[in-house]
Amino acid sequence: MVNVRQLMMCAFLLGASLACVGTQAQPLRVLSWEGYVTQQDIQVVNQQLKRQGYDYQVQLITPFAEGAKQMFDLIRSNQCDIAFLTLFFINMENQQTSKLLQSIDVNSPRLNNYKNLLPSLTHLEMGLNQQGQPLYIPWGGGAYGFYINRDRVAKADVPVSVKELWLDKWKGRFSLNQSQQWYNIGLTLMSLGKSPFYFYELAQQDKFSQLESMEKENGQILKKLKSLYTNAGNFWKASTVFDDNLLIVSSWGPEIARENNKGGNWQMIPFQEGHMVWLDTINFVKDLTGSKLEAAEIFANYFIGKKVQSRISEELSMVAASKMAPVNKILGDPDQIFKQHMFVPPYDKRSYNIMSRMAGKALYNAQNN
């Protein structure tokens, strides 16, 4: 004989179980550079989403962002919903990443902080689609800077030119970023009195034979690049490394603030040639729709709000994209940092591959000599 009470209890438990599954929040996956999204940020956004009736929770994915190819691969393989792409990544290599993104509805009621962004940053050409719509929301940026340990180096010994990185005096004493080789090639070009984006400019002028000649083993630029890599004491990918051998470190900025908060005294070297600059942005992948897209907008709106934008300026050694944030005391006025002619451009596939091969040769040479 069937026990009715047991059947009722089973039905109740099954219903409760299904209800729990139904209310389990779905992940809103974020691909970010290290230090950009904190656990506190995640808690705040998750609370906002829950309060507004959205069944999503922010999930910070790993590995952290490292470079254009890695980020493209993660986006293409559908491993994230929101990305913090560096602006020029969007239209690099035949616009391959831009095809995976959707345009931003700048008038969305969930993006009410958008109006406070610096107007000079919201419609930069390299971040627009073919219809002239932005594929990005400005977030924060800065320079590929070199910082010197002033506790160990006197003011009189601080380099004034990028050319000094090639001196024996600094051999093994500075670091370079390994993932984004165009910055190191830019330094090499600047040391030779050329534009840091000389390769891009040649490609834009269809001077491909001249561009390809840069790879020649006896070429001036490759030889100069090899000697720069040989002189470096460390190569980092995602995050700057600090050790006792390094007196100068290259950095995007966030690690410097963290180290100085521990009692360090790392100061940016004001190279007379200037600095190559970048802007990191917030981007939505193409298949985000409906309530998930709305949840992504709520996430983005929080990250362009005054609280996070102030943290960019005060704690990350970066320049904020919002007018509401205080000016960074080290880097200064955004209009002075974000100069159009110093923004790293969106390299085409041909010039990108040439630079990659040259950097690969330089790195191999440094590691085997």
Side-chain angles (χ1 to χ4, degrees):
M1 184 174 178
V2 177
N3 188 318
V4 177
R5 180 175 291 182
Q6 286 182 339
L7 284 175
M8 292 177 65
M9 181 60 70
C10 288
F12 172 79
L13 291 173
L14 179 61
S17 176
L18 291 172
C20 288
V21 171
T23 58
Q24 185 177 2
Q26 299 299 305
L28 186 65
R29 301 163 302 168
V30 179
L31 174 59
S32 166
W33 299 89
E34 185 177 0
Y36 283 14
V37 180
T38 69
Q39 286 303 312
Q40 184 180 15
D41 293 331
I42 291 174
Q43 290 174 6
V44 172
V45 175
N46 284 344
Q47 288 170 359
Q48 290 184 357
L49 291 172
K50 184 176 181 179
R51 189 165 57 247
Q52 295 180 51
Y54 290 92
D55 198 22
Y56 297 97
Q57 287 192 344
V58 176
Q59 181 183 94
L60 188 59
I61 69 170
T62 55
F64 289 116
E66 292 180 0
K69 184 180 185 306
Q70 176 238 20
M71 295 187 79
F72 168 74
D73 288 342
L74 289 171
I75 295 171
R76 181 177 57 176
S77 59
N78 192 33
Q79 294 187 50
C80 71
D81 303 305
I82 301 170
F84 279 78
L85 285 164
T86 302
L87 180 66
F88 68 97
F89 289 4
I90 294 173
N91 279 310
M92 275 182 68
E93 297 192 78
N94 300 325
Q95 304 177 335
Q96 61 178 8
T97 302
S98 69
K99 297 170 185 175
L100 304 176
L101 305 176
Q102 62 177 280
S103 60
I104 304 298
D105 178 6
V106 301
N107 296 313
S108 168
R110 288 165 294 278
L111 289 175
N112 60 295
N113 287 323
Y114 190 90
K115 63 182 180 295
N116 297 320
L117 295 173
L118 295 165
S120 60
L121 299 181
T122 57
H123 282 73
L124 293 165
E125 186 177 354
M126 68 180 83
L128 305 181
N129 62 17
Q130 293 182 342
Q131 290 72 44
Q133 300 165 320
L135 296 170
Y136 72 97
I137 299 171
W139 187 69
Y144 177 54
F146 284 76
Y147 296 78
I148 193 162
N149 188 341
R150 284 301 312 284
D151 285 341
R152 298 174 62 190
V153 181
K155 185 176 182 179
D157 294 325
V158 175
V160 297
S161 168
V162 297
K163 297 176 182 178
E164 295 182 53
L165 295 176
W166 278 261
L167 298 179
D168 288 341
K169 174 181 179 179
W170 300 112
K171 185 175 179 62
R173 296 297 205 169
F174 67 89
S175 65
L176 295 174
N177 173 258
Q178 183 179 330
S179 303
Q180 302 186 42
Q181 62 275 359
W182 41 82
Y183 287 104
N184 302 325
I185 291 174
L187 288 170
T188 303
L189 292 166
M190 290 164 75
S191 76
L192 295 170
K194 298 180 181 293
S195 162
F197 315 126
Y198 182 57
F199 283 29
Y200 174 78
E201 292 160 4
L202 288 177
Q204 291 294 103
Q205 298 167 33
D206 295 327
K207 295 182 178 179
F208 292 111
S209 59
Q210 189 175 343
L211 184 60
E212 289 165 356
S213 71
M214 303 299 174
E215 287 190 80
K216 292 180 179 178
E217 289 298 329
N218 61 348
Q220 181 190 33
I221 295 174
L222 181 55
K223 288 169 66 175
K224 191 78 172 176
L225 181 66
K226 283 183 176 180
S227 61
L228 174 66
Y229 274 57
T230 299
N231 237 27
N234 174 267
F235 295 91
W236 53 275
K237 291 185 177 180
S239 183
T240 299
V241 173
F242 295 87
D243 65 45
D244 291 339
N245 292 323
L246 298 175
L247 298 176
I248 298 173
V249 295
S250 56
S251 173
W252 311 126
E255 309 92 349
I256 300 300
R258 207 157 49 232
E259 204 67 17
N260 284 346
N261 286 337
K262 297 177 186 176
N265 188 17
W266 295 88
Q267 297 182 15
M268 191 175 193
I269 301 174
F271 288 134
Q272 63 188 19
E273 293 87 355
H275 300 281
M276 292 167 279
V277 298
W278 47 273
L279 177 68
D280 281 346
T281 66
I282 300 174
N283 325 91
F284 303 148
V285 300
K286 202 160 195 173
D287 60 357
L288 272 188
T289 58
S291 62
K292 195 170 189 180
L293 174 58
E294 292 180 4
E297 290 178 333
I298 291 169
F299 172 92
N301 193 60
Y302 173 76
F303 274 81
I304 57 174
K306 184 176 180 179
K307 183 177 180 179
V308 174
Q309 290 288 300
S310 296
R311 176 165 64 84
I312 291 174
S313 179
E314 296 172 341
E315 299 179 23
L316 296 183
S317 289
M318 291 169 54
V319 179
S322 173
K323 294 178 289 186
M324 304 301 289
V327 173
N328 183 294
K329 294 179 181 178
I330 297 176
L331 296 175
D333 187 342
D335 290 331
Q336 295 302 311
I337 293 296
F338 293 133
K339 294 180 179 178
Q340 288 275 2
H341 72 286
M342 291 303 285
F343 266 112
V344 180
Y347 291 99
D348 65 289
K349 192 173 186 64
R350 203 161 176 178
S351 56
Y352 174 83
N353 288 339
I354 288 172
M355 288 189 297
S356 295
R357 289 194 294 268
M358 290 177 69
K361 291 176 181 178
L363 183 62
Y364 178 84
N365 181 76
Q367 293 174 339
N368 292 276
N369 284 294

